[in-house]
Amino acid sequence: MLKRVFWIIFVICPLLMAASTGIIPNPQEIEFYDSSIELNNQINFVHIGYPENLAKGKEILSEALADIVDEHCEHSMSVILEKNDEFSIHDIKNEQLVEAYSLEISTDKIVIRAVSDKGLFYGLMSLSQLVKASAKGKLPTMKILDYPDMIQRGISDDFSRGQVSTMDNFEDILRFLAEYKQNIYMPYMEDLVQLDNYLDIGEGRGALSKQNIAEMQDIARSYFIDVIPIFQTLGHYENILSHPKYRKFAEFPGAASLNTIDEATDSFLFNMLDEVIPQFESEYFHMGCDESRDVGYGATKRLVEKIGTAQVHADHYMKVYNKLQSKGKKPMMYGDIILRHPEILDLIPKDIIIVDWHYRVNDHYPSIKKFKDAGFQFLVSPGLHNWRQSIPNFSNAWLNISKINYEGYLNGALGSINSSWGDYGGLNFRELNYLGYAFGAESSWNPDGMDGGSIRSRFIKQYYGSDSIKLESLFLIANQIPMNTDLRYIYANPFLTWKANSKYGKFSSQELIQNGKMVLKLTDELRETAMRNKDKLDYFSMGARIGIFTGRKIAFKHKLDFYTDNNYINKITPRIQRSLMDECDALIEEINSLVEDYRALWLRTNRPDNLDRLMSIFYQQSVFIHKAKTSIEMGQYRIDQALPSKWIAAKAYRKGENVPSAYFCKKFELENINDIRFAHVQLIANDAAEIYLNGKKVGLVAAAKSGSLLAVKRQVGVWDIADLLQEGENIIAVKAQAYKPGLPSCANVYFEYSFKGEKVRILSDRDWQACTIPRKDWQLGKGLWRKAIIVNDYPSQISMPMFDEGFPSQIEL
């Protein structure tokens, strides 16, 4: 804790005079004079040296002045834009000079000088920010000499897992970055690029068309922003590889990584690259390659045993590198796999730019020096801490962003890319990311002069046009919500009684509720004040409401546990029972309201694609709570909605041994099958499994556990098998195969059918038959079998399916 306090004091104290201007990021040098200039909303732009592409910069300045100066002025204010090849600053590199500018404000005119249009644009941005932060329509006379310390500054923006911006929202993001002198936008896309050769990739998910991408780049160009695509070329293929058509290209069924030694896979990847690469104008192309932890467990297992994981990865990197080089692109890639296998540093070309991402708040990031000493150019990449939350954790974000950016700067980093992620459907609205973007701008332009003590207040003044203490309080109190919850609790079924459910005691549900209510109170009061971007308050309100709902859900579970765990069930009077049922109704009502309002907020800035998948989680919460209410009404207070079927295996897992396939079967008798109204079978596997009924294949489940809600949903397979049932003996058979170490080949089967109005269940348990070496026609139960083994250490809790309401099991995060 003392180290963090020292860090904050060390970083925020310099250049307090510079911070008083309100500019973000802090300029390098400021000299104040002893007079002021009256602001005027009538601007006379004077061009010297033929500056171009400044329409957006002038527009931003004009809007800032119109917002500050209400009355029409008779005389205009002169703003001179001088593009001058002679403009120079001592001791900076040419790439810094391209973005450098001087801004001189005197009593009768304002002069911006730069060697480039980009420098002039940044001068206009500083002038616009001075205007927004001005007092009483005046600016002090001054001179600013400014340039960036880091060359590449920007964000990566994940829209592959949930929210896909409308084109207007893309422009809002790009404009904000430009106003804060950011010059890189990296869209993280995975499967969200429309491909002529693979029309079903990204289908129904909001994938960007060629026209969308061209329009995005046109907008970015007007703001002097380079759009560098992040298109995965090895890992994080779960959305594509969980699609039945493309499973054949996986390292193994259910993997999130490509099979790197298959020619057909190479052709598939390069066909995609042939379509994606030409659509982007940037000289850079980010080939992803992070978190490819599946490599070596399937198709490449023997090769990895022979030549090593590092070499297998490096060989694939070289194929992609050569492809990008042939298209005239400079490759970038994430560095996490290299850090796991540092031998790769000697196996790949030095002109690959490494993106070194770390999202933990550390005092030191040693990998920075590792990449530097190995001779690579590199970018540092902190995070916005917005993932798995309804409101970003601004405190952790600032510490992570400022610390890694400063250490990167000290070691000569090419730049900084601030990461925004949308894990598990992108619950976190990106409209709350802007303060985090400002953090990145502040600490990458002028790391020595960044001021963490004033950055939030400067941002509030710039973005909201107010210095209200209520806005400061809003950010501080809202930050307590991610301190007390995350998606594991927001999405969770509270009625699971396993020991692992003790996670609900980790956070204070009452603090969550109280902080959420305070945020709602502050947003209501702020809506009555004059401020810019007032509509963004709605996103704070939604984040708070999700926090309040989560707190109430957890508190309700604790209340039930109090009665059941302490043998007080007999103390539950009819009045208490009624109050418990009323709480269920209130939670369900809140869910319905949340869904309606969340949908409206989503559609303000995003395409409708992917929304229903996310909202289904909240509808499922409603079903969990409604089922609990029914139990309470029947006097049953010990509520367990855990999946009752067991994980079964044929052989225990032993470290270091190859994991054989497991085969299972279960025979059961049926009479009068015409009286069966429905029959559903559910299959979950580690890592892949296929299921048969009476010798006929029903389906296969193979999807990676990942941050993609689409892939998570595909981990659970459900089929209607009523037409496959037969009079007399029936046989369910399953083949399962594990690839990654830690668990045996295992499966979980839940079969439910309705017979004469009664539900009948057949569940995987120790009475199932199992083997590792099948006989012919094993799907029909033939062969030598023994009893299945129960696997008790499957790492995730799973809710029981609720087929009546249309929900399969939910795998808890």
Side-chain angles (χ1 to χ4, degrees), residues 729-780:
E729 184 179 80
N730 290 262
I731 301 173
I732 297 176
V734 174
K735 176 187 176 182
Q737 177 66 60
Y739 295 91
K740 289 189 281 188
L743 287 173
S745 298
C746 56
N748 187 298
V749 182
Y750 182 106
F751 173 39
E752 181 179 286
Y753 63 94
S754 173
F755 182 74
K756 295 183 177 179
E758 297 291 327
K759 288 184 181 178
V760 183
R761 300 187 305 185
I762 296 175
L763 312 176
S764 51
D765 58 24
R766 65 175 64 255
D767 291 331
W768 281 52
Q769 301 296 301
C771 70
T772 57
I773 301 175
R775 297 285 182 91
K776 183 180 179 182
D777 294 330
W778 67 270
Q779 299 95 331
L780 295 172

Side-chain angles (χ1 to χ4, degrees), residues 304-367:
V304 164
E305 290 171 350
K306 181 178 179 181
I307 66 175
T309 303
Q311 188 67 60
V312 170
H313 274 91
D315 289 346
H316 183 74
Y317 297 159
M318 287 305 302
K319 287 188 287 189
V320 179
Y321 170 85
N322 291 332
K323 181 69 172 180
L324 295 177
Q325 287 271 299
S326 72
K327 300 289 186 178
K329 298 295 185 181
K330 295 181 180 179
M332 294 178 167
M333 66 174 290
Y334 288 119
D336 56 303
I337 295 298
I338 297 174
L339 294 176
R340 290 165 68 98
H341 306 283
E343 315 94 277
I344 295 173
L345 289 169
D346 296 323
L347 300 173
I348 59 175
K350 301 297 183 185
D351 58 346
I352 295 178
I353 298 170
I354 308 297
V355 181
D356 186 22
W357 64 268
H358 297 280
Y359 305 141
R360 293 185 182 274
V361 179
N362 292 334
D363 293 316
H364 173 48
Y365 298 89
S367 58

Side-chain angles (χ1 to χ4, degrees), residues 498 647 684-686 705 715 743 746 748 791-798 811:
W498 301 355
W647 283 90
I684 312 174
N686 177 64
K705 185 181 186 303
Q715 284 183 279
L743 287 173
C746 56
N748 187 298
V791 179
N792 291 314
D793 53 354
Y794 187 79
S796 298
Q797 294 175 276
I798 305 176
I811 298 177

Side-chain angles (χ1 to χ4, degrees), residues 199-211:
L199 295 175
D200 46 4
I201 289 181
E203 186 178 20
R205 296 241 301 122
L208 301 188
S209 66
K210 290 187 174 80
Q211 182 179 348

Side-chain angles (χ1 to χ4, degrees), residues 45 57-58 61 79 81 112 120-128:
F45 287 107
K58 295 176 188 177
L61 175 60
V79 177
L81 301 169
I112 301 174
L120 292 175
F121 179 86
Y122 288 155
L124 284 168
M125 295 305 95
S126 286
L127 179 56
S128 300

Side-chain angles (χ1 to χ4, degrees), residues 470-742:
K470 289 181 180 179
L471 271 167
E472 288 270 8
S473 300
L474 174 63
F475 276 90
L476 289 170
I477 296 170
N479 197 73
Q480 295 304 305
I481 292 174
M483 293 289 191
N484 280 287
T485 190
D486 64 30
L487 287 194
R488 287 173 296 171
Y489 315 109
I490 295 170
Y491 285 1
N493 179 347
F495 306 109
L496 302 178
T497 57
W498 301 355
K499 289 182 180 179
N501 208 39
S502 61
K503 67 186 182 183
Y504 284 108
K506 181 178 179 181
F507 298 132
S508 169
S509 58
Q510 290 308 313
E511 282 190 27
L512 196 52
I513 295 167
Q514 290 165 9
N515 288 319
K517 287 182 175 180
M518 182 60 71
V519 168
L520 293 181
K521 182 178 180 181
L522 284 167
T523 53
D524 285 344
E525 292 177 358
L526 285 164
R527 287 188 183 94
E528 302 303 317
T529 65
M531 57 184 288
R532 301 186 196 111
N533 293 306
K534 193 178 293 187
D535 62 307
K536 300 302 184 288
L537 296 174
D538 296 339
Y539 298 95
F540 280 101
S541 297
M542 178 53 65
R545 288 173 60 189
I546 291 172
I548 292 169
F549 163 74
T550 305
R552 286 175 174 164
K553 176 178 69 171
I554 294 171
F556 181 70
K557 169 62 173 173
H558 285 161
K559 186 180 294 186
L560 285 179
D561 289 345
F562 171 78
Y563 288 113
T564 57
D565 294 350
N566 297 292
N567 297 316
Y568 287 144
I569 292 178
N570 62 342
K571 302 294 184 180
I572 298 178
T573 64
R575 181 180 62 83
I576 294 174
Q577 182 188 40
R578 183 69 259 171
S579 70
L580 292 171
M581 293 166 61
D582 289 344
E583 282 193 64
C584 290
D585 288 337
L587 285 169
I588 292 170
E589 184 179 351
E590 178 59 18
I591 290 171
N592 293 335
S593 177
L594 275 175
V595 167
E596 182 180 348
D597 294 343
Y598 188 97
R599 182 179 297 275
L601 282 181
W602 176 292
L603 295 175
R604 277 189 194 176
T605 57
N606 299 298
R607 304 177 186 201
D609 310 87
N610 309 309
L611 175 58
D612 287 341
R613 188 179 301 111
L614 179 59
M615 291 296 91
S616 71
I617 291 178
F618 285 95
Y619 287 126
Q620 194 165 5
Q621 294 277 313
S622 181
V623 172
F624 294 152
I625 296 166
H626 179 74
K627 293 282 188 182
K629 178 188 174 184
T630 301
S631 296
I632 292 168
E633 192 172 16
M634 296 169 62
Q636 299 170 2
Y637 302 99
R638 193 177 297 278
I639 301 168
D640 184 1
Q641 294 180 359
L643 180 65
S645 47
K646 304 298 184 183
W647 283 90
I648 54 174
K651 181 181 180 181
Y653 173 77
R654 290 180 175 84
K655 188 175 180 179
E657 290 186 357
N658 289 328
V659 180
S661 299
Y663 300 83
F664 310 101
C665 76
K666 177 71 174 181
K667 297 179 181 179
F668 59 98
E669 297 284 334
L670 289 177
E671 297 179 359
N672 303 319
I673 61 172
N674 291 332
D675 292 327
I676 293 176
R677 291 291 171 262
F678 73 84
H680 294 117
V681 67
Q682 173 181 282
L683 174 66
I684 312 174
N686 177 64
D687 291 289
E690 53 193 35
I691 187 166
Y692 299 80
L693 181 63
N694 298 324
K696 296 179 181 178
K697 186 172 180 179
V698 175
L700 178 146
V701 62
K705 185 181 186 303
S706 73
S708 166
L709 192 57
L710 176 65
V712 168
K713 294 287 189 181
R714 287 175 174 172
Q715 284 183 279
V716 181
V718 177
W719 299 272
D720 182 344
I721 58 171
D723 290 344
L724 297 178
L725 295 172
Q726 60 191 25
E727 200 83 18
E729 184 179 80
N730 290 262
I731 301 173
I732 297 176
V734 174
K735 176 187 176 182
Q737 177 66 60
Y739 295 91
K740 289 189 281 188

